[in-house]
Amino acid sequence: MQKNLVIVESPAKAKTIEKFLGKDFKVMSSYGHIRDLKKKAFSIDIAHDFKPEYEIPADKRALVGQLKEEAAKADTVWLASDEDREGEAIAWHLYEVLKLKPEHTKRIVFHEITKSAILNAIEHPRSIDLNLVDAQQARRVLDRIVGFELSPVLWRKVKPALSAGRVQSVAVRLIVEREREINAFRTEAAYRVTALFLASDADGKQAELKAELPRRFKTKAEAQDFLEHCRAARFRIGDISTKPLRKSPSAPFTTSTLQQEAARKLGFTVAQTMMVAQRLYESGMITYMRTDSVNLSEFALNSSREAITRLMGEPYVCTRHFATKTKGAQEAHEAIRPTNMDSPKIEGTHQEKRLYELIWKRTIASQMADAVLEKTTVTIGIDGMKDEAFVATGEVVKFDGFLRVYRDSMDDDADLRDDETGLLPPLKKGQELACNEITATERFSQHPPRYTEASLVRKLEELGIGRPSTYAPTISTIQQREYVVKGDKPGEERAYNVLCLRDGKISDSTRTETTGAEKAKLMPTDTGLVVNDFLTEYFPNILDYNFTATVEKQFDEIAEGEKKWTGVLHTFYDHFHPSVESTLAAKSAHKAGERVLGTEPKTGKQVSVKIGRFGPVAQIGAAGEDEKPRFAQLRKDQSIETITLEEALDLFKLPRTLGEQDGQTVSVGAGRFGPYVHGFGIYVTLPKEIDPMSVTLEQAVELLKAKQEAEAKRHIKRFDEEPDLEIMNGRYGPYISYQGNNYKIPAGIEPADLSLASCLELVKLQEEKAAARKKRPARAAKAEKPAKTAKAKK
DNA sequence: CAGTGAGCGAGCTTCCGCTTGACTT
């Protein structure tokens, strides 16, 4: 007979808690929500005060059955879901679905998973907060209304299977607007002046001193004039000032900051970070990884203090409490931290180790003393120029403090900085300096950076849009819908001018640099642009960056009992729904985003571009005319915003027949993967340097024959006894193909000489290796590689 | 990593937030 049943959200948490509570308590997990609006149906009865129609999803039925069974056996059921809006709703759904009795049900919450916190929670039970539950229902129902009313509008007006929502549509808007900002950006050039001086120290040794002119010159003439003046000038130390400078550590990790730092320091994608963190959480290494709180438990503070004292000494300790600044934070959990502060390192995969170390360092650093630096600023006067002076700065670390373990990484979008300065040589006021060289370099202003996954998460969090559990899924959704692609932008070559004064002569040279290259950045597709423009025009309220913040305020009022949730929804719906109706009713002549480019000279038919059933497409003629319109897909590098009439007409020149060879037709076309030639029953992608418009029959035949030959060589050997196995020749050399998988052949083995037995041996070997890598290598890693752990430190 | 290649007149598609599997890659 079970006395007590405790239900929490996460099974890992359940396991830990069960240990604290003894045998009178059984702890189970709800695995998040157990009930939701129906997946496929609207499920909201607007006419009856937005009554939601809930159902238990199929994959939760077995679990709910078990929970029911155990709840029936228990004297008391303790609903211990998280202390936030969603957690309260989970408790309420459990109460309803399990048909619990008020006198046998208690609602408890705890913020840290320690024995004392849990026992304390048991001592202070409360009842379910129905206002908070209503706030969640309002949130849920509003999101469903927005998503399920807006998406069908897009199906009608743009393209099927698209989607819109309170969070995803704003995420796309951010990326679209940034791209337009970049398109509108005009670079400006200015001359930056740096100088290299020589100062003699007490021993007569010469030391270099780098200095910069604070202002930049707008024109070359000004820069030249300045250098001309410097040619005859003498330089003297003006002011020397020394200022102390303190740096404080950042707060411990939340989901969003962990995603940002793991992207910058470890090169992880947002999804990757969450996957690795989940594994660390499940194996008990770190606390919960979906959190917006920067709070650390008393236990964590104490054990951090002990660890710092032991590893670095008392002076490095500084216990700090951090407060959450982000809008709408719900703080149901702690910050993300190691469960055991005594372990700077753990066993695990390479990725797990690296992420864990990052978390350990950030947590420890947050409890360490400020770094104390000393910044020296020296001005260097120029004879005969009152208004101009060079400035040299030097920074010396007096006490490293938290910098000993953790340095915040530079923002990827921060300008490249080369002001890395160390100690300045000893200098005296009035001291004259020899000038080695002065350089005026033409520099260009940079367009704002495109978003990375991580910087988009930061922006969304700043706007209070989305939650820790949805950042990664949102980013994947907007890419799946093809509103956004993640990709690289190659840099552009740019010439710049350098003037250099040296040995009394001014040289003038031109150099080139590659600039503006970006990696793994988010860029809008044509579909993204069209959908965004459409939504911002017809539903500006939903697409407003403040929409979420505004409705969140109302959800808070519901939670406080100041407003009824149905009232809030009425106000919203009465405004929103008519705009959906009128947008649908508006019989516009063409689809959203359609652009007419002109007419085809031959026929006089209209040429236009739009988002078609399969993406951006050019069209000649209009539907409803006698002749059916002709279509041609746009190339990857073209956009319906910028394509010209000529470029669009060019698209219709493919596919085109090149001629006949050996009685077979050879043609050139444009496919999903770029231009190709087709003949003899095979396809070959055209190499970049061959233009599909001017490719000749001879070139095409040559390519096709080469491919045929390679195809013939592809099969090296097969065995009658085992038809599934084959030795093949791929573009990376020979390999074994076996039951749909491929295995490499070690160097030095002649593939044609392999026997079936030795092939199967190779397959088995590589399968085992792969299996070992998959499992958590608790025992697999025998000898640690020593070279890898050494840190690169100055 | 191991090779792809069209269609543009009905089918169905979709939201945000909680939580992990059970499948192959």
Side-chain angles (χ1 to χ4, degrees), chain A residues 193-226:
Chain A
V193 184
T194 55
L196 203 57
F197 295 103
L198 290 176
S200 318
D201 67 8
D203 310 334
K205 262 203 223 152
Q206 297 234 302
E208 280 191 348
L209 178 64
K210 272 190 198 164
E212 184 175 343
L213 204 66
R215 85 155 171 137
R216 295 181 175 200
F217 295 110
K218 287 225 173 74
T219 66
K220 183 171 181 177
E222 281 179 89
Q224 268 168 331
D225 280 354
F226 177 77

mmCIF file of all heavy atoms in Angstrom, chain A residues 193-226:
data_model
loop_
_atom_site.group_PDB
_atom_site.id
_atom_site.type_symbol
_atom_site.label_atom_id
_atom_site.label_comp_id
_atom_site.label_asym_id
_atom_site.label_seq_id
_atom_site.Cartn_x
_atom_site.Cartn_y
_atom_site.Cartn_z
ATOM 1 N N VAL A 193 44.582 56.839 -38.418
ATOM 2 C CA VAL A 193 46.008 57.128 -38.350
ATOM 3 C C VAL A 193 46.636 56.466 -37.131
ATOM 4 O O VAL A 193 46.185 56.668 -35.999
ATOM 5 C CB VAL A 193 46.254 58.649 -38.294
ATOM 6 C CG1 VAL A 193 47.752 58.943 -38.329
ATOM 7 C CG2 VAL A 193 45.551 59.340 -39.461
ATOM 8 N N THR A 194 47.656 55.665 -37.363
ATOM 9 C CA THR A 194 48.378 55.049 -36.262
ATOM 10 C C THR A 194 49.859 55.414 -36.380
ATOM 11 O O THR A 194 50.355 55.695 -37.470
ATOM 12 C CB THR A 194 48.265 53.518 -36.299
ATOM 13 O OG1 THR A 194 48.702 53.062 -37.571
ATOM 14 C CG2 THR A 194 46.847 53.061 -36.063
ATOM 15 N N ALA A 195 50.521 55.397 -35.249
ATOM 16 C CA ALA A 195 51.939 55.768 -35.260
ATOM 17 C C ALA A 195 52.736 54.808 -34.411
ATOM 18 O O ALA A 195 52.214 54.193 -33.472
ATOM 19 C CB ALA A 195 52.102 57.191 -34.739
ATOM 20 N N LEU A 196 53.969 54.654 -34.769
ATOM 21 C CA LEU A 196 54.880 53.811 -34.010
ATOM 22 C C LEU A 196 56.024 54.694 -33.538
ATOM 23 O O LEU A 196 56.789 55.223 -34.351
ATOM 24 C CB LEU A 196 55.395 52.701 -34.938
ATOM 25 C CG LEU A 196 55.900 51.446 -34.275
ATOM 26 C CD1 LEU A 196 54.827 50.834 -33.394
ATOM 27 C CD2 LEU A 196 56.319 50.444 -35.354
ATOM 28 N N PHE A 197 56.105 54.892 -32.212
ATOM 29 C CA PHE A 197 57.168 55.738 -31.657
ATOM 30 C C PHE A 197 58.236 54.872 -31.008
ATOM 31 O O PHE A 197 57.998 53.706 -30.674
ATOM 32 C CB PHE A 197 56.594 56.689 -30.609
ATOM 33 C CG PHE A 197 55.626 57.681 -31.182
ATOM 34 C CD1 PHE A 197 54.259 57.519 -31.010
ATOM 35 C CD2 PHE A 197 56.085 58.779 -31.898
ATOM 36 C CE1 PHE A 197 53.364 58.433 -31.538
ATOM 37 C CE2 PHE A 197 55.192 59.703 -32.425
ATOM 38 C CZ PHE A 197 53.840 59.530 -32.248
ATOM 39 N N LEU A 198 59.402 55.480 -30.791
ATOM 40 C CA LEU A 198 60.454 54.790 -30.054
ATOM 41 C C LEU A 198 60.761 55.596 -28.805
ATOM 42 O O LEU A 198 61.003 56.804 -28.871
ATOM 43 C CB LEU A 198 61.723 54.658 -30.913
ATOM 44 C CG LEU A 198 61.614 53.684 -32.088
ATOM 45 C CD1 LEU A 198 62.887 53.723 -32.911
ATOM 46 C CD2 LEU A 198 61.358 52.271 -31.570
ATOM 47 N N ALA A 199 60.717 54.921 -27.674
ATOM 48 C CA ALA A 199 61.038 55.595 -26.418
ATOM 49 C C ALA A 199 62.233 54.895 -25.795
ATOM 50 O O ALA A 199 62.297 53.670 -25.776
ATOM 51 C CB ALA A 199 59.842 55.526 -25.480
ATOM 52 N N SER A 200 63.187 55.684 -25.286
ATOM 53 C CA SER A 200 64.337 55.067 -24.630
ATOM 54 C C SER A 200 64.020 54.952 -23.155
ATOM 55 O O SER A 200 63.528 55.895 -22.548
ATOM 56 C CB SER A 200 65.574 55.927 -24.801
ATOM 57 O OG SER A 200 65.631 56.408 -26.105
ATOM 58 N N ASP A 201 64.267 53.784 -22.583
ATOM 59 C CA ASP A 201 64.019 53.652 -21.146
ATOM 60 C C ASP A 201 65.300 53.975 -20.371
ATOM 61 O O ASP A 201 66.307 54.409 -20.949
ATOM 62 C CB ASP A 201 63.462 52.265 -20.811
ATOM 63 C CG ASP A 201 64.477 51.170 -21.042
ATOM 64 O OD1 ASP A 201 65.643 51.486 -21.320
ATOM 65 O OD2 ASP A 201 64.082 49.986 -20.960
ATOM 66 N N ALA A 202 65.272 53.779 -19.050
ATOM 67 C CA ALA A 202 66.373 54.195 -18.175
ATOM 68 C C ALA A 202 67.706 53.572 -18.598
ATOM 69 O O ALA A 202 68.759 54.216 -18.521
ATOM 70 C CB ALA A 202 66.052 53.822 -16.729
ATOM 71 N N ASP A 203 67.670 52.334 -19.072
ATOM 72 C CA ASP A 203 68.928 51.664 -19.450
ATOM 73 C C ASP A 203 69.364 52.043 -20.865
ATOM 74 O O ASP A 203 70.312 51.459 -21.393
ATOM 75 C CB ASP A 203 68.748 50.128 -19.403
ATOM 76 C CG ASP A 203 68.135 49.686 -18.105
ATOM 77 O OD1 ASP A 203 68.319 50.420 -17.111
ATOM 78 O OD2 ASP A 203 67.456 48.646 -18.095
ATOM 79 N N GLY A 204 68.621 52.969 -21.457
ATOM 80 C CA GLY A 204 68.987 53.351 -22.822
ATOM 81 C C GLY A 204 68.435 52.400 -23.864
ATOM 82 O O GLY A 204 68.682 52.528 -25.051
ATOM 83 N N LYS A 205 67.657 51.429 -23.399
ATOM 84 C CA LYS A 205 67.065 50.492 -24.358
ATOM 85 C C LYS A 205 65.870 51.138 -25.033
ATOM 86 O O LYS A 205 65.120 51.882 -24.412
ATOM 87 C CB LYS A 205 66.584 49.227 -23.609
ATOM 88 C CG LYS A 205 67.566 48.087 -23.694
ATOM 89 C CD LYS A 205 66.822 46.783 -23.451
ATOM 90 C CE LYS A 205 67.631 45.886 -22.539
ATOM 91 N NZ LYS A 205 66.814 44.985 -21.749
ATOM 92 N N GLN A 206 65.703 50.831 -26.309
ATOM 93 C CA GLN A 206 64.595 51.433 -27.030
ATOM 94 C C GLN A 206 63.381 50.510 -26.998
ATOM 95 O O GLN A 206 63.494 49.307 -27.207
ATOM 96 C CB GLN A 206 65.012 51.652 -28.482
ATOM 97 C CG GLN A 206 66.169 52.635 -28.609
ATOM 98 C CD GLN A 206 65.840 53.762 -29.552
ATOM 99 O OE1 GLN A 206 65.534 53.536 -30.694
ATOM 100 N NE2 GLN A 206 65.904 54.979 -29.050
ATOM 101 N N ALA A 207 62.242 51.118 -26.690
ATOM 102 C CA ALA A 207 61.013 50.332 -26.674
ATOM 103 C C ALA A 207 60.022 50.951 -27.640
ATOM 104 O O ALA A 207 59.984 52.172 -27.805
ATOM 105 C CB ALA A 207 60.439 50.303 -25.268
ATOM 106 N N GLU A 208 59.234 50.090 -28.283
ATOM 107 C CA GLU A 208 58.221 50.584 -29.206
ATOM 108 C C GLU A 208 56.978 51.040 -28.457
ATOM 109 O O GLU A 208 56.624 50.483 -27.426
ATOM 110 C CB GLU A 208 57.822 49.471 -30.189
ATOM 111 C CG GLU A 208 58.803 49.312 -31.319
ATOM 112 C CD GLU A 208 58.270 48.401 -32.411
ATOM 113 O OE1 GLU A 208 57.253 47.734 -32.164
ATOM 114 O OE2 GLU A 208 58.874 48.368 -33.491
ATOM 115 N N LEU A 209 56.355 52.042 -29.008
ATOM 116 C CA LEU A 209 55.117 52.550 -28.412
ATOM 117 C C LEU A 209 54.122 52.795 -29.542
ATOM 118 O O LEU A 209 54.347 53.623 -30.416
ATOM 119 C CB LEU A 209 55.422 53.855 -27.665
ATOM 120 C CG LEU A 209 54.241 54.551 -27.016
ATOM 121 C CD1 LEU A 209 53.631 53.691 -25.920
ATOM 122 C CD2 LEU A 209 54.676 55.899 -26.423
ATOM 123 N N LYS A 210 53.044 52.042 -29.508
ATOM 124 C CA LYS A 210 52.005 52.198 -30.530
ATOM 125 C C LYS A 210 50.992 53.232 -30.074
ATOM 126 O O LYS A 210 50.578 53.210 -28.916
ATOM 127 C CB LYS A 210 51.267 50.869 -30.729
ATOM 128 C CG LYS A 210 51.895 49.955 -31.733
ATOM 129 C CD LYS A 210 50.934 48.809 -32.003
ATOM 130 C CE LYS A 210 51.666 47.658 -32.638
ATOM 131 N NZ LYS A 210 50.902 46.418 -32.576
ATOM 132 N N ALA A 211 50.615 54.108 -30.970
ATOM 133 C CA ALA A 211 49.623 55.118 -30.601
ATOM 134 C C ALA A 211 48.678 55.349 -31.771
ATOM 135 O O ALA A 211 48.977 55.006 -32.913
ATOM 136 C CB ALA A 211 50.314 56.416 -30.223
ATOM 137 N N GLU A 212 47.525 55.908 -31.442
ATOM 138 C CA GLU A 212 46.519 56.155 -32.484
ATOM 139 C C GLU A 212 45.956 57.556 -32.344
ATOM 140 O O GLU A 212 45.843 58.083 -31.235
ATOM 141 C CB GLU A 212 45.396 55.117 -32.367
ATOM 142 C CG GLU A 212 44.384 55.264 -33.470
ATOM 143 C CD GLU A 212 43.306 54.180 -33.467
ATOM 144 O OE1 GLU A 212 43.509 53.133 -32.816
ATOM 145 O OE2 GLU A 212 42.273 54.403 -34.113
ATOM 146 N N LEU A 213 45.602 58.132 -33.452
ATOM 147 C CA LEU A 213 44.948 59.434 -33.438
ATOM 148 C C LEU A 213 43.460 59.188 -33.187
ATOM 149 O O LEU A 213 42.837 58.415 -33.903
ATOM 150 C CB LEU A 213 45.142 60.095 -34.810
ATOM 151 C CG LEU A 213 45.047 61.617 -34.847
ATOM 152 C CD1 LEU A 213 46.199 62.248 -34.073
ATOM 153 C CD2 LEU A 213 45.041 62.107 -36.296
ATOM 154 N N PRO A 214 42.884 59.843 -32.174
ATOM 155 C CA PRO A 214 41.475 59.539 -31.866
ATOM 156 C C PRO A 214 40.543 59.860 -33.022
ATOM 157 O O PRO A 214 39.544 59.184 -33.207
ATOM 158 C CB PRO A 214 41.168 60.439 -30.670
ATOM 159 C CG PRO A 214 42.487 60.811 -30.112
ATOM 160 C CD PRO A 214 43.478 60.784 -31.231
ATOM 161 N N ARG A 215 40.850 60.901 -33.779
ATOM 162 C CA ARG A 215 39.877 61.198 -34.840
ATOM 163 C C ARG A 215 40.367 60.643 -36.179
ATOM 164 O O ARG A 215 41.547 60.386 -36.384
ATOM 165 C CB ARG A 215 39.626 62.698 -34.915
ATOM 166 C CG ARG A 215 40.601 63.480 -35.736
ATOM 167 C CD ARG A 215 39.875 64.730 -36.194
ATOM 168 N NE ARG A 215 40.774 65.668 -36.822
ATOM 169 C CZ ARG A 215 40.430 66.301 -37.940
ATOM 170 N NH1 ARG A 215 39.277 66.068 -38.503
ATOM 171 N NH2 ARG A 215 41.260 67.182 -38.480
ATOM 172 N N ARG A 216 39.419 60.456 -37.064
ATOM 173 C CA ARG A 216 39.747 59.944 -38.388
ATOM 174 C C ARG A 216 39.527 61.037 -39.420
ATOM 175 O O ARG A 216 38.708 61.931 -39.217
ATOM 176 C CB ARG A 216 38.855 58.737 -38.710
ATOM 177 C CG ARG A 216 39.139 57.588 -37.772
ATOM 178 C CD ARG A 216 38.285 56.391 -38.085
ATOM 179 N NE ARG A 216 38.712 55.280 -37.214
ATOM 180 C CZ ARG A 216 38.461 54.009 -37.455
ATOM 181 N NH1 ARG A 216 37.788 53.672 -38.529
ATOM 182 N NH2 ARG A 216 38.882 53.069 -36.631
ATOM 183 N N PHE A 217 40.244 60.939 -40.531
ATOM 184 C CA PHE A 217 40.088 61.942 -41.581
ATOM 185 C C PHE A 217 39.125 61.435 -42.642
ATOM 186 O O PHE A 217 39.215 60.294 -43.093
ATOM 187 C CB PHE A 217 41.443 62.251 -42.213
ATOM 188 C CG PHE A 217 42.391 62.893 -41.235
ATOM 189 C CD1 PHE A 217 43.487 62.189 -40.758
ATOM 190 C CD2 PHE A 217 42.165 64.182 -40.775
ATOM 191 C CE1 PHE A 217 44.351 62.760 -39.839
ATOM 192 C CE2 PHE A 217 43.037 64.756 -39.865
ATOM 193 C CZ PHE A 217 44.132 64.045 -39.390
ATOM 194 N N LYS A 218 38.252 62.337 -43.050
ATOM 195 C CA LYS A 218 37.223 61.920 -44.015
ATOM 196 C C LYS A 218 37.788 61.783 -45.426
ATOM 197 O O LYS A 218 37.314 60.986 -46.214
ATOM 198 C CB LYS A 218 36.084 62.949 -44.030
ATOM 199 C CG LYS A 218 35.216 62.898 -42.789
ATOM 200 C CD LYS A 218 33.730 62.948 -43.175
ATOM 201 C CE LYS A 218 32.834 62.730 -41.980
ATOM 202 N NZ LYS A 218 32.785 63.923 -41.089
ATOM 203 N N THR A 219 38.783 62.611 -45.749
ATOM 204 C CA THR A 219 39.292 62.586 -47.123
ATOM 205 C C THR A 219 40.784 62.282 -47.154
ATOM 206 O O THR A 219 41.495 62.440 -46.163
ATOM 207 C CB THR A 219 39.074 63.944 -47.811
ATOM 208 O OG1 THR A 219 39.890 64.914 -47.126
ATOM 209 C CG2 THR A 219 37.624 64.365 -47.779
ATOM 210 N N LYS A 220 41.213 61.883 -48.320
ATOM 211 C CA LYS A 220 42.617 61.584 -48.519
ATOM 212 C C LYS A 220 43.456 62.854 -48.373
ATOM 213 O O LYS A 220 44.545 62.844 -47.801
ATOM 214 C CB LYS A 220 42.806 60.981 -49.926
ATOM 215 C CG LYS A 220 44.207 60.554 -50.224
ATOM 216 C CD LYS A 220 44.272 59.779 -51.525
ATOM 217 C CE LYS A 220 45.696 59.325 -51.798
ATOM 218 N NZ LYS A 220 45.773 58.513 -53.022
ATOM 219 N N ALA A 221 42.915 63.957 -48.896
ATOM 220 C CA ALA A 221 43.649 65.227 -48.839
ATOM 221 C C ALA A 221 43.955 65.605 -47.395
ATOM 222 O O ALA A 221 45.074 66.010 -47.061
ATOM 223 C CB ALA A 221 42.840 66.322 -49.529
ATOM 224 N N GLU A 222 42.958 65.452 -46.522
ATOM 225 C CA GLU A 222 43.165 65.788 -45.106
ATOM 226 C C GLU A 222 44.243 64.909 -44.494
ATOM 227 O O GLU A 222 45.089 65.373 -43.739
ATOM 228 C CB GLU A 222 41.859 65.582 -44.332
ATOM 229 C CG GLU A 222 40.854 66.699 -44.485
ATOM 230 C CD GLU A 222 39.591 66.376 -43.693
ATOM 231 O OE1 GLU A 222 39.525 66.724 -42.511
ATOM 232 O OE2 GLU A 222 38.689 65.720 -44.277
ATOM 233 N N ALA A 223 44.195 63.610 -44.816
ATOM 234 C CA ALA A 223 45.180 62.679 -44.276
ATOM 235 C C ALA A 223 46.581 63.039 -44.769
ATOM 236 O O ALA A 223 47.552 63.022 -44.009
ATOM 237 C CB ALA A 223 44.819 61.248 -44.670
ATOM 238 N N GLN A 224 46.644 63.396 -46.049
ATOM 239 C CA GLN A 224 47.941 63.779 -46.615
ATOM 240 C C GLN A 224 48.488 65.042 -45.949
ATOM 241 O O GLN A 224 49.665 65.100 -45.578
ATOM 242 C CB GLN A 224 47.800 64.032 -48.120
ATOM 243 C CG GLN A 224 48.076 62.781 -48.928
ATOM 244 C CD GLN A 224 47.663 62.922 -50.378
ATOM 245 O OE1 GLN A 224 46.733 63.672 -50.701
ATOM 246 N NE2 GLN A 224 48.348 62.200 -51.234
ATOM 247 N N ASP A 225 47.627 66.011 -45.772
ATOM 248 C CA ASP A 225 48.033 67.249 -45.100
ATOM 249 C C ASP A 225 48.599 66.963 -43.725
ATOM 250 O O ASP A 225 49.620 67.514 -43.318
ATOM 251 C CB ASP A 225 46.822 68.183 -44.931
ATOM 252 C CG ASP A 225 46.526 68.935 -46.225
ATOM 253 O OD1 ASP A 225 47.340 68.796 -47.168
ATOM 254 O OD2 ASP A 225 45.499 69.628 -46.269
ATOM 255 N N PHE A 226 47.894 66.064 -43.025
ATOM 256 C CA PHE A 226 48.316 65.740 -41.665
ATOM 257 C C PHE A 226 49.706 65.097 -41.671
ATOM 258 O O PHE A 226 50.588 65.476 -40.915
ATOM 259 C CB PHE A 226 47.297 64.802 -41.015
ATOM 260 C CG PHE A 226 47.692 64.352 -39.635
ATOM 261 C CD1 PHE A 226 47.558 65.199 -38.544
ATOM 262 C CD2 PHE A 226 48.225 63.089 -39.436
ATOM 263 C CE1 PHE A 226 47.939 64.779 -37.281
ATOM 264 C CE2 PHE A 226 48.602 62.658 -38.170
ATOM 265 C CZ PHE A 226 48.460 63.504 -37.085
#
